[in-house]
Amino acid sequence: QAQLMESGGGSVEAGGSTSVSCKTSGSMSMSYCVGWFRQAPGKEREGVADTNSDGDVRYADSVKSRLTMSEDDNKKAQYLQMDSLKPEDTATYYCASEDRCHNGGDYWGNDFADWGQGTQVTVSP
């Protein structure tokens, strides 16, 4: 199985920027891909950024135009850039992998089997 580890994030003032990194290792398919999720206290985990096998990227409406996902060419590291942050962005952010990157529009589907431990992003007003 894959191992994922997030880093970065931290505390930032509203309107500011930060980024989260995700390093992947272990047994992974050539066709795997990584998506991003977050969970705030008392709320359900939600997907915030994802991609499919064609490289199409989808963002949650709540973060669209403020978050940008990318990855290294070797796919061993992924990044989530966060700009124009709002207090409601405060959450634990997770990267997760699906062994076979989906083809089509099934973003944040039920095939994310491996998860990082999460990293905290706190946005102060």
Side-chain angles (χ1 to χ4, degrees):
Q1 64 180 22
Q3 292 85 48
L4 301 90
M5 181 176 292
E6 300 93 341
S7 61
S11 297
V12 61
E13 294 182 349
S17 299
T18 191
S19 64
V20 175
S21 299
C22 176
K23 296 190 181 302
T24 58
S25 61
S27 180
M28 308 190 80
S29 168
M30 292 292 293
S31 61
Y32 90 99
C33 64
V34 170
W36 291 93
F37 301 77
R38 70 183 181 186
Q39 186 168 25
K43 294 186 177 181
E44 294 287 324
R45 185 172 61 205
E46 62 175 338
V48 294
D50 199 9
T51 185
N52 64 16
S53 59
D54 292 326
D56 299 324
V57 177
R58 177 70 61 82
Y59 299 98
D61 289 341
S62 58
V63 304
K64 187 177 181 180
S65 300
R66 301 188 299 110
L67 271 63
T68 304
M69 65 179 296
S70 62
E71 66 179 4
D72 288 346
D73 290 341
N74 60 13
K75 300 181 64 176
K76 292 185 177 180
Q78 292 75 33
Y79 309 94
L80 187 66
Q81 177 68 36
M82 307 179 184
D83 300 306
S84 302
L85 285 166
K86 304 175 180 179
E88 51 263 42
D89 294 318
T90 296
T92 301
Y93 284 75
Y94 300 88
C95 57
S97 67
E98 51 184 351
D99 189 54
R100 296 185 63 185
C101 196
H102 74 274
N103 186 345
D106 187 24
Y107 298 100
W108 309 293
N110 60 5
D111 58 344
F112 286 92
D114 299 305
W115 294 75
Q117 83 287 348
T119 190
Q120 181 69 27
V121 173
T122 301
V123 184
S124 60

